[in-house]
Protein backbone atom coordinates (compact mmCIF):
# COMPACT_ATOMS: atom_id res chain seq x y z
CA UNK A 1 0.00 0.00 0.00
CA UNK A 2 2.93 2.24 0.63
CA UNK A 3 4.96 1.89 -2.51
CA UNK A 4 6.15 5.12 -3.98
CA UNK A 5 7.36 6.58 -7.26
CA UNK A 6 11.02 5.90 -7.90
CA UNK A 7 13.80 8.26 -8.75
CA UNK A 8 14.77 8.42 -12.42
CA UNK A 9 12.53 9.28 -15.36
CA UNK A 10 11.47 6.73 -17.93
CA UNK A 11 10.12 7.44 -21.41
CA UNK A 12 6.41 8.23 -21.69
CA UNK A 13 4.17 5.34 -22.62
CA UNK A 14 2.15 5.46 -25.78
CA UNK A 15 -1.58 5.59 -26.40
CA UNK A 16 -4.18 5.67 -23.69
CA UNK A 17 -1.81 5.86 -20.74
CA UNK A 18 -0.30 8.56 -18.58
CA UNK A 19 3.39 9.14 -19.29
CA UNK A 20 5.50 7.51 -16.60
CA UNK A 21 7.97 9.86 -14.99
CA UNK A 22 9.83 10.18 -11.72
CA UNK A 23 6.76 11.79 -10.23
CA UNK A 24 4.11 9.15 -10.87
CA UNK A 25 6.15 5.98 -11.26
CA UNK A 26 5.02 3.23 -8.90
CA UNK A 27 7.81 1.18 -7.38
CA UNK A 28 6.09 -2.20 -7.29
CA UNK A 29 5.38 -2.52 -10.99
CA UNK A 30 3.02 -5.47 -10.79
CA UNK A 31 0.52 -3.22 -9.00
CA UNK A 32 0.98 -0.12 -11.12
CA UNK A 33 -1.52 0.97 -13.74
CA UNK A 34 -1.03 4.01 -15.91
CA UNK A 35 -3.92 3.29 -18.25
CA UNK A 36 -6.26 6.28 -18.43
CA UNK A 37 -9.47 4.24 -18.37
CA UNK A 38 -8.47 2.53 -15.12
CA UNK A 39 -7.39 5.79 -13.54
CA UNK A 40 -10.62 7.50 -14.61
CA UNK A 41 -12.82 4.63 -13.38
CA UNK A 42 -11.23 4.71 -9.92
CA UNK A 43 -11.59 8.49 -9.75
CA UNK A 44 -15.18 8.47 -10.98
CA UNK A 45 -16.40 5.91 -8.45
CA UNK A 46 -14.88 7.54 -5.34
CA UNK A 47 -16.83 9.65 -2.88
CA UNK A 48 -14.05 11.64 -1.28
CA UNK A 49 -10.55 12.66 -2.34
CA UNK A 50 -7.66 13.32 0.00
CA UNK A 51 -6.09 16.54 -1.18
CA UNK A 52 -2.51 17.38 -0.27
CA UNK A 53 -0.99 20.83 -0.35
CA UNK A 54 2.17 22.38 1.01
CA UNK A 55 1.76 25.19 3.50
CA UNK A 56 4.70 26.90 5.15
CA UNK A 57 6.79 23.97 3.97
CA UNK A 58 4.57 21.41 5.70
CA UNK A 59 2.15 18.89 4.16
CA UNK A 60 -1.60 19.30 4.79
CA UNK A 61 -4.08 16.60 3.73
CA UNK A 62 -7.81 17.39 3.69
CA UNK A 63 -10.76 15.22 2.61
CA UNK A 64 -12.76 16.96 -0.11
CA UNK A 65 -15.62 16.41 -2.50
CA UNK A 66 -14.37 16.32 -6.08
CA UNK A 67 -15.37 15.65 -9.66
CA UNK A 68 -13.56 14.86 -12.90
CA UNK A 69 -14.00 16.42 -16.33
CA UNK A 70 -11.59 14.89 -18.83
CA UNK A 71 -8.12 15.61 -17.49
CA UNK A 72 -9.32 18.19 -14.99
CA UNK A 73 -10.41 17.60 -11.40
CA UNK A 74 -12.62 20.06 -9.56
CA UNK A 75 -12.53 20.63 -5.81
CA UNK A 76 -14.70 22.97 -3.87
CA UNK A 77 -15.00 24.62 -0.49
CA UNK A 78 -16.00 27.83 1.22
CA UNK A 79 -14.37 30.89 -0.27
CA UNK A 80 -12.72 31.90 2.98
CA UNK A 81 -10.88 28.66 3.72
CA UNK A 82 -7.13 28.53 3.88
CA UNK A 83 -7.01 25.77 1.29
CA UNK A 84 -8.71 28.02 -1.21
CA UNK A 85 -6.32 30.86 -0.43
CA UNK A 86 -3.43 28.59 -1.35
CA UNK A 87 -4.83 28.27 -4.86
CA UNK A 88 -5.24 31.97 -5.62
CA UNK A 89 -2.04 31.47 -7.54
CA UNK A 90 -1.45 28.11 -9.25
CA UNK A 91 -0.02 25.78 -6.60
CA UNK A 92 1.11 22.15 -6.66
CA UNK A 93 -1.46 19.69 -5.39
CA UNK A 94 -1.74 15.93 -4.96
CA UNK A 95 -5.20 14.37 -5.14
CA UNK A 96 -5.52 10.77 -3.94
CA UNK A 97 -8.63 8.58 -4.15
CA UNK A 98 -8.66 5.17 -2.47
CA UNK A 99 -11.19 2.34 -2.46
CA UNK A 100 -10.59 -0.26 0.25
CA UNK A 101 -11.72 -3.68 -0.98
CA UNK A 102 -10.51 -6.10 1.66
CA UNK A 103 -8.28 -7.00 4.57
CA UNK A 104 -5.74 -9.58 3.43
CA UNK A 105 -5.24 -11.89 6.40
CA UNK A 106 -2.07 -13.78 5.57
CA UNK A 107 -0.48 -16.64 7.50
CA UNK A 108 2.25 -14.24 8.63
CA UNK A 109 2.17 -10.61 9.78
CA UNK A 110 4.70 -9.74 7.09
CA UNK A 111 2.42 -10.77 4.21
CA UNK A 112 -0.76 -9.35 5.72
CA UNK A 113 -2.04 -6.49 3.61
CA UNK A 114 -5.05 -4.72 2.12
CA UNK A 115 -6.87 -5.09 -1.17
CA UNK A 116 -7.47 -1.67 -2.64
CA UNK A 117 -7.68 0.47 -5.74
CA UNK A 118 -6.06 3.88 -5.51
CA UNK A 119 -5.14 6.75 -7.78
CA UNK A 120 -2.57 9.45 -7.09
CA UNK A 121 -2.88 12.57 -9.24
CA UNK A 122 -0.20 15.23 -9.36
CA UNK A 123 -1.18 18.58 -10.76
CA UNK A 124 -1.49 22.26 -10.34
CA UNK A 125 -4.54 23.83 -8.73
CA UNK A 126 -6.06 27.23 -9.44
CA UNK A 127 -9.20 28.95 -8.22
CA UNK A 128 -11.76 29.39 -11.02
CA UNK A 129 -12.77 33.01 -11.12
CA UNK A 130 -15.33 33.18 -13.93
CA UNK A 131 -18.94 32.48 -13.08
CA UNK A 132 -19.57 30.20 -16.02
CA UNK A 133 -16.67 27.94 -15.12
CA UNK A 134 -17.72 27.89 -11.50
CA UNK A 135 -21.29 26.96 -12.38
CA UNK A 136 -20.08 24.16 -14.62
CA UNK A 137 -17.82 22.87 -11.87
CA UNK A 138 -20.68 22.98 -9.34
CA UNK A 139 -22.79 20.97 -11.77
CA UNK A 140 -20.11 18.30 -12.03
CA UNK A 141 -19.46 18.25 -8.27
CA UNK A 142 -23.18 17.79 -7.56
CA UNK A 143 -23.59 15.09 -10.18
CA UNK A 144 -20.42 13.25 -9.14
CA UNK A 145 -22.13 12.16 -5.92
CA UNK A 146 -25.65 11.79 -7.35
CA UNK A 147 -25.70 11.73 -11.17
CA UNK A 148 -28.57 13.79 -12.53
CA UNK A 149 -29.18 15.63 -9.26
CA UNK A 150 -28.23 19.07 -10.61
CA UNK A 151 -31.16 19.16 -13.03
CA UNK A 152 -33.61 18.40 -10.21
CA UNK A 153 -32.53 21.38 -8.11
CA UNK A 154 -33.21 25.09 -8.35
CA UNK A 155 -30.49 27.20 -9.94
CA UNK A 156 -27.91 28.51 -7.47
CA UNK A 157 -28.37 32.09 -6.23
CA UNK A 158 -25.73 34.64 -7.12
CA UNK A 159 -24.81 34.87 -3.44
CA UNK A 160 -24.26 31.10 -3.34
CA UNK A 161 -22.02 31.18 -6.38
CA UNK A 162 -20.04 34.02 -4.82
CA UNK A 163 -19.53 32.09 -1.57
CA UNK A 164 -18.33 28.96 -3.32
CA UNK A 165 -14.71 28.65 -4.31
CA UNK A 166 -13.90 26.07 -6.94
CA UNK A 167 -10.39 24.88 -7.70
CA UNK A 168 -9.49 23.30 -11.01
CA UNK A 169 -6.65 20.80 -10.95
CA UNK A 170 -5.07 19.96 -14.28
CA UNK A 171 -3.84 16.35 -14.18
CA UNK A 172 -0.14 16.50 -15.03
CA UNK A 173 0.72 12.98 -13.93
CA UNK A 174 -1.33 10.13 -12.55
CA UNK A 175 -0.95 6.51 -11.58
CA UNK A 176 -3.19 3.83 -10.17
CA UNK A 177 -2.35 0.96 -7.88
CA UNK A 178 -4.53 -2.09 -7.58
CA UNK A 179 -4.14 -5.02 -5.22
CA UNK A 180 -6.65 -7.84 -5.46
CA UNK A 181 -6.84 -11.49 -4.50
CA UNK A 182 -5.65 -13.58 -1.61
CA UNK A 183 -2.46 -13.45 0.41
CA UNK A 184 0.87 -14.29 -1.20
CA UNK A 185 2.60 -16.39 1.40
CA UNK A 186 5.97 -17.88 2.08
CA UNK A 187 5.67 -21.36 0.61
CA UNK A 188 6.39 -23.01 3.97
CA UNK A 189 3.50 -21.18 5.64
CA UNK A 190 0.93 -22.93 3.45
CA UNK A 191 1.53 -26.17 5.29
CA UNK A 192 0.73 -24.73 8.73
CA UNK A 193 -2.42 -24.54 10.82
CA UNK A 194 -2.71 -20.79 10.12
CA UNK A 195 -5.74 -19.44 8.26
CA UNK A 196 -5.17 -17.37 5.12
CA UNK A 197 -7.66 -15.41 3.09
CA UNK A 198 -9.47 -12.13 2.63
CA UNK A 199 -12.09 -10.32 4.67
CA UNK A 200 -14.03 -8.28 2.08
CA UNK A 201 -14.60 -4.59 2.83
CA UNK A 202 -17.73 -3.24 1.20
CA UNK A 203 -18.84 0.37 0.89
CA UNK A 204 -22.55 0.57 0.20
CA UNK A 205 -25.39 3.07 0.15
CA UNK A 206 -28.32 2.66 2.52
CA UNK A 207 -31.92 3.60 1.91
CA UNK A 208 -32.43 7.38 1.80
CA UNK A 209 -33.72 9.06 4.96
CA UNK A 210 -35.67 12.25 4.41
CA UNK A 211 -35.26 15.06 6.92
CA UNK A 212 -38.90 15.11 8.03
CA UNK A 213 -39.56 18.43 6.35
CA UNK A 214 -40.79 17.30 2.95
CA UNK A 215 -43.81 18.96 1.42
CA UNK A 216 -46.63 16.43 1.38
CA UNK A 217 -46.44 14.02 -1.53
CA UNK A 218 -42.75 14.62 -2.34
CA UNK A 219 -41.01 11.33 -3.08
CA UNK A 220 -37.42 10.17 -3.44
CA UNK A 221 -36.29 11.77 -6.71
CA UNK A 222 -35.29 9.80 -9.83
CA UNK A 223 -31.57 10.65 -9.44
CA UNK A 224 -31.41 9.02 -6.01
CA UNK A 225 -33.56 6.07 -7.06
CA UNK A 226 -31.19 5.45 -10.00
CA UNK A 227 -28.13 5.79 -7.77
CA UNK A 228 -29.49 3.16 -5.37
CA UNK A 229 -30.47 0.76 -8.10
CA UNK A 230 -27.03 1.08 -9.66
CA UNK A 231 -28.32 2.35 -13.01
CA UNK B 1 -15.66 19.01 4.18
CA UNK B 2 -13.08 21.50 3.02
CA UNK B 3 -12.78 23.83 5.97
CA UNK B 4 -9.26 24.56 6.99
CA UNK B 5 -7.29 25.78 9.98
CA UNK B 6 -7.25 29.55 10.28
CA UNK B 7 -4.35 31.88 10.59
CA UNK B 8 -3.66 33.17 14.12
CA UNK B 9 -2.86 31.12 17.20
CA UNK B 10 -5.28 30.77 20.10
CA UNK B 11 -4.47 29.61 23.64
CA UNK B 12 -4.29 25.85 24.22
CA UNK B 13 -7.41 24.22 25.60
CA UNK B 14 -7.35 22.54 28.97
CA UNK B 15 -7.71 18.89 30.01
CA UNK B 16 -8.30 16.08 27.59
CA UNK B 17 -8.01 18.09 24.40
CA UNK B 18 -5.34 18.90 21.86
CA UNK B 19 -4.10 22.47 22.14
CA UNK B 20 -5.61 24.61 19.39
CA UNK B 21 -3.08 26.46 17.34
CA UNK B 22 -2.78 27.96 13.91
CA UNK B 23 -1.87 24.53 12.60
CA UNK B 24 -4.84 22.45 13.73
CA UNK B 25 -7.56 25.07 14.17
CA UNK B 26 -10.70 24.22 12.20
CA UNK B 27 -12.38 27.19 10.58
CA UNK B 28 -16.00 26.11 10.97
CA UNK B 29 -16.04 25.80 14.75
CA UNK B 30 -19.35 23.99 15.07
CA UNK B 31 -17.77 20.98 13.33
CA UNK B 32 -14.42 21.05 15.13
CA UNK B 33 -13.51 18.63 17.88
CA UNK B 34 -10.19 18.76 19.69
CA UNK B 35 -11.14 16.25 22.37
CA UNK B 36 -8.59 13.45 22.53
CA UNK B 37 -11.13 10.67 22.99
CA UNK B 38 -12.99 11.66 19.83
CA UNK B 39 -9.77 12.00 17.85
CA UNK B 40 -8.54 8.62 19.10
CA UNK B 41 -11.86 6.89 18.36
CA UNK B 42 -11.87 8.12 14.76
CA UNK B 43 -8.24 7.07 14.30
CA UNK B 44 -8.75 3.67 15.90
CA UNK B 45 -11.72 2.72 13.74
CA UNK B 46 -10.20 3.63 10.36
CA UNK B 47 -8.73 1.13 7.93
CA UNK B 48 -6.46 3.36 5.88
CA UNK B 49 -4.77 6.70 6.48
CA UNK B 50 -3.86 9.20 3.79
CA UNK B 51 -0.32 10.26 4.52
CA UNK B 52 1.02 13.55 3.17
CA UNK B 53 4.66 14.43 2.79
CA UNK B 54 6.57 17.14 0.97
CA UNK B 55 8.99 16.02 -1.68
CA UNK B 56 10.99 18.45 -3.79
CA UNK B 57 8.57 21.12 -2.58
CA UNK B 58 5.53 19.23 -3.84
CA UNK B 59 2.82 17.45 -1.84
CA UNK B 60 2.53 13.66 -2.11
CA UNK B 61 -0.43 11.79 -0.57
CA UNK B 62 -0.29 8.00 -0.18
CA UNK B 63 -2.81 5.59 1.37
CA UNK B 64 -1.16 3.57 4.13
CA UNK B 65 -1.92 1.07 6.85
CA UNK B 66 -1.43 2.64 10.27
CA UNK B 67 -1.88 2.08 13.99
CA UNK B 68 -2.01 4.29 17.06
CA UNK B 69 -0.20 3.88 20.37
CA UNK B 70 -1.03 6.73 22.73
CA UNK B 71 0.12 9.89 20.98
CA UNK B 72 2.20 8.02 18.40
CA UNK B 73 1.05 6.76 15.01
CA UNK B 74 2.89 3.98 13.21
CA UNK B 75 3.07 3.65 9.44
CA UNK B 76 4.79 0.92 7.51
CA UNK B 77 6.00 0.02 4.09
CA UNK B 78 8.78 -1.69 2.21
CA UNK B 79 12.21 -0.49 3.27
CA UNK B 80 13.14 0.65 -0.22
CA UNK B 81 10.19 2.99 -0.85
CA UNK B 82 10.71 6.66 -1.37
CA UNK B 83 8.30 7.51 1.40
CA UNK B 84 10.47 5.65 3.84
CA UNK B 85 13.59 7.40 2.58
CA UNK B 86 11.95 10.75 3.38
CA UNK B 87 11.76 9.74 7.03
CA UNK B 88 15.40 8.72 7.51
CA UNK B 89 15.66 12.12 9.09
CA UNK B 90 12.65 13.46 11.03
CA UNK B 91 10.33 15.05 8.46
CA UNK B 92 6.97 16.81 8.71
CA UNK B 93 4.00 14.61 7.92
CA UNK B 94 0.22 14.97 7.86
CA UNK B 95 -1.89 11.88 8.53
CA UNK B 96 -5.59 12.10 7.71
CA UNK B 97 -8.24 9.48 8.43
CA UNK B 98 -11.77 9.91 7.07
CA UNK B 99 -14.97 7.94 7.58
CA UNK B 100 -17.70 8.75 5.07
CA UNK B 101 -21.11 8.36 6.71
CA UNK B 102 -23.56 9.76 4.19
CA UNK B 103 -24.37 11.84 1.15
CA UNK B 104 -26.34 14.89 2.24
CA UNK B 105 -28.83 15.54 -0.56
CA UNK B 106 -30.05 19.06 0.10
CA UNK B 107 -32.79 20.96 -1.74
CA UNK B 108 -30.08 23.10 -3.35
CA UNK B 109 -26.67 22.27 -4.79
CA UNK B 110 -25.10 24.82 -2.47
CA UNK B 111 -26.20 23.04 0.71
CA UNK B 112 -25.50 19.53 -0.57
CA UNK B 113 -22.69 17.94 1.39
CA UNK B 114 -21.34 14.81 3.04
CA UNK B 115 -21.65 13.39 6.53
CA UNK B 116 -18.25 12.31 7.73
CA UNK B 117 -15.85 12.00 10.63
CA UNK B 118 -12.26 12.95 9.92
CA UNK B 119 -9.06 13.54 11.81
CA UNK B 120 -6.05 15.51 10.63
CA UNK B 121 -2.82 14.83 12.51
CA UNK B 122 0.26 16.99 12.12
CA UNK B 123 3.51 15.57 13.30
CA UNK B 124 7.02 14.56 12.61
CA UNK B 125 7.88 11.14 11.20
CA UNK B 126 11.02 9.11 11.78
CA UNK B 127 12.04 5.63 10.76
CA UNK B 128 12.33 3.29 13.74
CA UNK B 129 15.73 1.65 13.66
CA UNK B 130 15.74 -0.64 16.70
CA UNK B 131 14.34 -4.11 16.29
CA UNK B 132 12.30 -4.07 19.48
CA UNK B 133 10.49 -0.89 18.47
CA UNK B 134 9.90 -2.25 14.99
CA UNK B 135 8.47 -5.51 16.31
CA UNK B 136 6.17 -3.63 18.66
CA UNK B 137 4.99 -1.41 15.80
CA UNK B 138 4.35 -4.46 13.59
CA UNK B 139 2.28 -5.95 16.39
CA UNK B 140 0.16 -2.82 16.59
CA UNK B 141 -0.18 -2.51 12.81
CA UNK B 142 -1.34 -6.13 12.54
CA UNK B 143 -3.77 -5.82 15.42
CA UNK B 144 -5.15 -2.48 14.20
CA UNK B 145 -6.85 -4.25 11.29
CA UNK B 146 -7.66 -7.50 13.12
CA UNK B 147 -7.33 -7.20 16.91
CA UNK B 148 -5.66 -10.26 18.38
CA UNK B 149 -4.30 -11.47 15.05
CA UNK B 150 -0.63 -11.06 15.99
CA UNK B 151 -0.78 -13.70 18.67
CA UNK B 152 -2.23 -16.22 16.22
CA UNK B 153 0.65 -15.88 13.77
CA UNK B 154 4.19 -17.20 13.75
CA UNK B 155 6.88 -14.77 14.84
CA UNK B 156 8.35 -12.71 12.00
CA UNK B 157 11.64 -13.89 10.53
CA UNK B 158 14.68 -11.67 10.90
CA UNK B 159 14.68 -11.16 7.15
CA UNK B 160 11.07 -9.94 7.31
CA UNK B 161 11.85 -7.49 10.08
CA UNK B 162 14.80 -6.20 8.07
CA UNK B 163 12.66 -5.66 4.98
CA UNK B 164 9.96 -3.76 6.85
CA UNK B 165 10.40 -0.08 7.48
CA UNK B 166 8.28 1.42 10.21
CA UNK B 167 7.80 5.13 10.70
CA UNK B 168 6.76 6.60 14.04
CA UNK B 169 4.79 9.83 13.88
CA UNK B 170 4.58 11.81 17.09
CA UNK B 171 1.24 13.66 17.18
CA UNK B 172 2.11 17.32 17.63
CA UNK B 173 -1.32 18.69 16.74
CA UNK B 174 -4.62 17.08 15.84
CA UNK B 175 -8.19 18.01 15.17
CA UNK B 176 -11.34 16.18 14.24
CA UNK B 177 -14.24 17.33 12.16
CA UNK B 178 -17.64 15.70 12.34
CA UNK B 179 -20.69 16.41 10.23
CA UNK B 180 -23.85 14.46 10.99
CA UNK B 181 -27.57 14.85 10.39
CA UNK B 182 -29.73 16.14 7.58
CA UNK B 183 -29.25 19.06 5.23
CA UNK B 184 -29.33 22.61 6.56
CA UNK B 185 -31.38 24.46 3.97
CA UNK B 186 -32.33 27.97 3.08
CA UNK B 187 -35.64 28.43 4.88
CA UNK B 188 -37.49 29.14 1.63
CA UNK B 189 -36.36 25.84 0.11
CA UNK B 190 -38.27 23.82 2.71
CA UNK B 191 -41.55 24.84 1.10
CA UNK B 192 -40.65 23.48 -2.34
CA UNK B 193 -41.22 20.18 -4.10
CA UNK B 194 -37.52 19.29 -3.71
CA UNK B 195 -36.51 16.24 -1.67
CA UNK B 196 -34.06 16.70 1.19
CA UNK B 197 -32.35 14.08 3.29
CA UNK B 198 -29.39 11.77 3.64
CA UNK B 199 -28.27 8.69 1.74
CA UNK B 200 -26.34 6.65 4.33
CA UNK B 201 -22.90 5.37 3.32
CA UNK B 202 -21.93 2.21 5.15
CA UNK B 203 -18.55 0.49 5.25
CA UNK B 204 -18.92 -3.11 6.30
CA UNK B 205 -16.95 -6.34 6.43
CA UNK B 206 -18.09 -9.33 4.42
CA UNK B 207 -17.73 -12.98 5.32
CA UNK B 208 -14.10 -14.16 5.16
CA UNK B 209 -12.99 -16.00 2.03
CA UNK B 210 -10.16 -18.44 2.50
CA UNK B 211 -7.58 -18.78 -0.27
CA UNK B 212 -8.28 -22.43 -0.99
CA UNK B 213 -4.96 -23.53 0.46
CA UNK B 214 -5.92 -24.25 4.05
CA UNK B 215 -4.65 -27.37 5.73
CA UNK B 216 -7.60 -29.67 6.29
CA UNK B 217 -9.62 -28.79 9.36
CA UNK B 218 -8.33 -25.20 9.73
CA UNK B 219 -11.18 -22.85 10.56
CA UNK B 220 -11.67 -19.09 10.63
CA UNK B 221 -9.56 -17.99 13.62
CA UNK B 222 -10.99 -16.37 16.77
CA UNK B 223 -9.58 -12.92 15.92
CA UNK B 224 -11.51 -12.77 12.65
CA UNK B 225 -14.65 -14.26 14.19
CA UNK B 226 -14.55 -11.56 16.91
CA UNK B 227 -13.93 -8.83 14.32
CA UNK B 228 -16.98 -9.89 12.33
CA UNK B 229 -19.22 -10.19 15.34
CA UNK B 230 -18.13 -6.76 16.52
CA UNK B 231 -16.76 -7.96 19.83
Amino acid sequence: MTDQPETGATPPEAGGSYPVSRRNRVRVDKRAVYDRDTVHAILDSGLVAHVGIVEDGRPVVIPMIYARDGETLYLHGARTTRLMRVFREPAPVCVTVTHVDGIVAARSAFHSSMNYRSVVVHGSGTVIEDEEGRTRAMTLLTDHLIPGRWDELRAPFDTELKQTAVVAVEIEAASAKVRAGGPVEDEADYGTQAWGGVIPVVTALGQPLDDGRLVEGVEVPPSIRRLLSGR
Side-chain angles (χ1 to χ4, degrees), chain A:
Chain A
M1 185 133 225
T2 59
D3 312 303
Q4 267 293 97
E6 253 188 356
T7 307
T10 54
E13 288 185 6
S17 294
Y18 290 97
V20 180
S21 68
R22 182 169 179 281
R23 220 201 287 172
N24 68 329
R25 189 178 180 192
V26 177
R27 205 190 54 88
V28 179
D29 274 337
K30 64 177 177 179
R31 293 190 189 148
V33 188
Y34 302 99
D35 157 61
R36 283 178 200 270
D37 290 345
T38 304
V39 168
H40 291 172
I42 291 170
L43 289 173
D44 293 350
S45 54
L47 293 171
V48 161
H50 282 81
V51 178
I53 55 170
V54 177
E55 197 177 48
D56 304 331
R58 297 189 56 101
V60 179
V61 178
I62 304 292
M64 292 183 81
I65 296 170
Y66 70 100
R68 185 183 67 86
D69 183 25
E71 296 299 323
T72 304
L73 297 180
Y74 293 107
L75 311 171
H76 84 333
R79 204 153 179 70
T80 48
T81 59
R82 198 191 247 182
L83 198 63
M84 292 301 155
R85 286 199 290 271
V86 165
F87 293 116
R88 274 191 199 147
E89 303 292 320
V93 60
C94 182
V95 180
T96 298
V97 173
T98 304
H99 304 261
V100 176
D101 294 327
I103 300 171
V104 180
R107 291 163 178 81
S108 64
F110 184 72
H111 288 292
S112 297
S113 185
M114 302 284 283
N115 281 340
Y116 63 97
R117 292 159 290 145
S118 68
V119 163
V120 176
V121 167
H122 296 276
S124 178
T126 327
V127 169
I128 302 181
E129 292 296 347
D130 70 294
E131 190 169 310
E132 193 185 332
R134 215 148 65 215
T135 305
R136 172 160 172 71
M138 277 182 76
T139 309
L140 292 163
L141 288 158
T142 304
D143 284 354
H144 175 83
L145 291 173
I146 309 174
R149 182 68 175 150
W150 180 267
D151 286 340
E152 295 172 349
L153 299 171
R154 67 163 169 76
F157 302 138
D158 282 354
T159 50
E160 292 177 339
L161 277 172
K162 280 200 180 68
Q163 283 177 69
T164 305
V166 176
V167 170
V169 176
E170 300 306 325
I171 303 180
E172 294 165 2
S175 59
K177 279 185 66 186
V178 177
R179 195 211 184 277
V184 178
E185 310 273 13
D186 273 15
E187 201 53 41
D189 286 330
Y190 284 114
T192 69
Q193 292 292 315
W195 188 90
V198 173
I199 306 161
V201 176
V202 181
T203 301
L205 302 177
Q207 285 303 301
L209 299 161
D210 73 63
D211 61 1
R213 297 198 57 178
L214 300 186
V215 168
E216 207 185 312
V218 169
E219 298 195 348
V220 173
S223 66
I224 295 176
R225 287 205 311 268
R226 280 195 305 268
L227 180 69
L228 292 170
S229 67
R231 273 176 291 130

